[in-house]
């Protein structure tokens, strides 16, 4: 027999052949697009740190959501910028808060687009931390009731899924109990189970005005060096009732996505965060990379690592191209 015995290139000769044997699929239905809701009227302002993404007022968000639904994107996740912040983040769980109003507006405008809400205090607190601060410390247990209240107010407004991102211990259980106790047993929890203390959140904190005013989040978000700890976080969240478990950020943590996908029987989500998006946008703006190809490659890599669902600012661009 002549050398070489194996010719893997045979299956790469045409796009039909490549498509037939492709191992990983990626569709708009797998994607969730983040939306930032701000006070005001007629507001649609591009976010400087997230080019192509907008701050939207409640009266604009329904139209935007309709467009997202038409593109076949699975869902949206809502973040809110309150009109005023206070130490306990009270606009975060007000029935007429921006996110609660936006949920109602989107539910009225769309037939079945999934409406998810981020459950966390940092956008609403004057100190910018994800929990109640006492004596200069972020206190775990007093935060749980506020998070449960926030999740419940989102569910009452019509959120299909609630997504706690605060990293307090025990919050999934507290939220599950509050939802079940109020007749929302059918509302799933997507927990940011393995959320790392990451520099990749920089552009988001500018977009959501949520940077901590003192210290950092390393006392509650995970150390980037750890992977076994991610499996512990996932196990605890699942025991407390998480329906979907998320790893965040995505690209620098693909090994964690893979480990979680292998260890857990829950669907896995990954958050392709603001800094990951900003790097692509900045390099593309300089003509250094091909944005389309790079985005598809990145999103495919996250799926290949084991994510079922991807939260990404690229969702609309990707979905437009896949039509
Ligand atoms: C809120 C929250 C953050 C992100 C999602 N939810 C910021 C943070 O933890 O500081 C980051 C999302 C992104 O960077 O795209 N806690």
């Amino acid at each position: 027999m002549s050398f070489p015995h194996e010719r893997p290139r045979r299956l790469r000769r045409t796009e039909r052949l490549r498509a037939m044997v492709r191992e990983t699929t990626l569709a708009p239905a797998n994607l969730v697009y983040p939306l930032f809701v701000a006070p005001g009227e007629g507001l649609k302002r591009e976010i400087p740190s997230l080019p192509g993404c907008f701050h939207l007022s409640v009266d604009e968000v329904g139209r935007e959501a309709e467009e997202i639904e038409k593109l076949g994107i699975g869902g949206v996740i809502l973040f809110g910028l309150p009109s005023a912040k206070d130490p306990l983040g009270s606009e975060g769980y007000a029935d007429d808060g921006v996110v609660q109003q936006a949920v109602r507006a989107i539910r009225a405008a769309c037939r079945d687009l999934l409406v998810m809400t981020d459950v966390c205090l940092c956008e609403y607190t004057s100190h910018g931390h994800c929990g109640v601060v006492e004596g200069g410390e972020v206190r775990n247990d007093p935060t749980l009731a506020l998070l449960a209240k926030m999740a419940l107010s989102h569910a009452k407004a019509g959120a299909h899924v609630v997504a706690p991102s605060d990293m307090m211990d025990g919050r999934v259980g507290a939220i599950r109990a509050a939802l079940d106790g109020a007749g929302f047993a059918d509302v799933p929890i997507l927990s940011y189970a393995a959320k790392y203390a990451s520099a990749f959140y920089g552009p988001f904190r500018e977009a959501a005005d949520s940077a901590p005013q003192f210290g950092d989040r390393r006392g509650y978000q995970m150390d980037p060096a750890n992977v076994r700890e991610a499996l512990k976080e996932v196990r605890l969240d699942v025991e407390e009732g998480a329906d979907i478990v998320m790893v965040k950020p995505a690209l620098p943590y693909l090994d964690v996505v893979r480990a979680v996908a292998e260890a857990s029987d829950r669907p896995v989500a990954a958050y392709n965060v603001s800094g990951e998006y900003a790097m692509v946008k900045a390099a593309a703006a300089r003509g250094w990379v091909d944005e389309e190809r790079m985005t598809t490659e990145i999103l495919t890599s996250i799926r290949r690592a084991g994510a079922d669902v991807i939260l990404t600012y690229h969702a609309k661009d990707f979905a437009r191209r896949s039509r």
Side-chain angles (χ1 to χ4, degrees):
M1 210 186 284
S2 63
F3 182 82
H5 306 299
E6 288 276 354
R7 289 186 183 274
R9 288 185 56 189
R10 279 186 198 120
L11 294 179
R12 298 182 199 136
R13 284 188 55 236
T14 68
E15 178 51 24
R16 280 286 167 152
L17 274 169
R18 291 190 294 270
M20 194 166 67
V21 299
R22 190 162 290 141
E23 298 173 37
T24 306
T25 61
L26 170 65
N30 303 124
L31 306 181
V32 175
Y33 185 66
L35 288 179
F36 295 88
V37 192
E41 262 178 59
L43 176 77
K44 185 170 182 185
R45 190 179 54 220
E46 192 168 22
I47 301 171
S49 60
L50 291 171
C53 302
F54 293 83
H55 281 130
L56 299 161
S57 52
V58 168
D59 58 327
E60 293 285 334
V61 82
R63 206 173 6 249
E64 173 78 5
E66 269 179 275
E67 190 190 325
I68 293 165
E69 180 169 51
K70 281 203 198 97
L71 286 168
I73 293 169
V76 291
I77 180 158
L78 304 185
F79 297 93
L81 288 89
S83 50
K85 300 175 190 260
D86 61 40
L88 295 180
S90 48
E91 269 195 49
Y93 36 90
D95 284 333
D96 61 350
V98 272
V99 164
Q100 290 79 359
Q101 291 185 51
V103 169
R104 290 191 285 265
I106 297 172
R107 290 299 309 271
C110 296
R111 208 166 57 88
D112 56 11
L113 181 72
L114 285 173
V115 182
M116 310 187 180
T117 55
D118 184 83
V119 176
C120 188
L121 293 176
C122 65
E123 293 121 71
Y124 306 93
T125 50
S126 38
H127 45 71
H129 276 291
C130 305
V132 174
V133 172
E134 281 169 13
E137 291 258 357
V138 178
R139 297 275 316 275
N140 197 87
D141 298 8
T143 304
L144 301 182
L146 301 184
L147 294 168
K149 209 167 153 179
M150 183 182 285
L152 188 54
S153 75
H154 293 166
K156 277 187 193 152
H160 294 109
V161 178
V162 294
S165 69
D166 51 281
M167 287 303 276
M168 297 301 125
D169 294 333
R171 93 277 206 210
V172 172
I175 290 170
R176 187 71 269 159
L179 292 175
D180 291 357
F184 293 102
D186 288 338
V187 172
I189 298 175
L190 183 166
S191 80
Y192 288 66
K195 178 176 178 176
Y196 288 87
S198 172
F200 285 84
Y201 307 150
F204 172 95
R205 291 187 188 167
E206 196 177 319
D209 185 26
S210 65
Q213 298 303 301
F214 67 90
D216 55 43
R217 304 213 203 288
R218 281 181 283 193
Y220 42 105
Q221 297 181 348
M222 280 179 56
D223 186 328
N226 296 351
V227 60
R228 275 181 297 152
E229 189 187 5
L231 299 180
K232 175 171 73 179
E233 285 284 4
V234 165
R235 176 174 54 79
L236 292 172
D237 282 9
V238 167
E239 282 168 11
E240 290 175 34
D243 300 279
I244 304 175
V245 288
M246 183 147 74
V247 175
K248 175 191 174 185
L251 266 193
Y253 299 89
L254 291 182
D255 59 322
V256 182
V257 174
R258 167 52 49 199
V260 169
E262 281 172 8
S264 175
D265 61 1
R266 304 296 141 136
V268 176
Y271 200 143
N272 175 223
V273 300
S274 59
E276 301 172 50
Y277 176 80
M279 290 195 301
V280 173
K281 285 287 180 183
R286 283 161 184 75
W288 292 347
V289 298
D290 178 331
E291 181 178 337
E292 272 191 36
R293 287 190 54 206
M294 198 182 226
T295 302
T296 302
E297 189 172 335
I298 287 172
L299 297 176
T300 301
S301 77
I302 299 169
R303 291 268 300 161
R304 194 187 62 233
D308 303 292
V309 182
I310 306 174
L311 280 62
T312 179
Y313 305 95
H314 295 292
K316 282 169 65 185
D317 288 343
F318 176 78
R320 273 193 207 104
R321 292 202 301 275
S322 352
R323 271 132 76 86

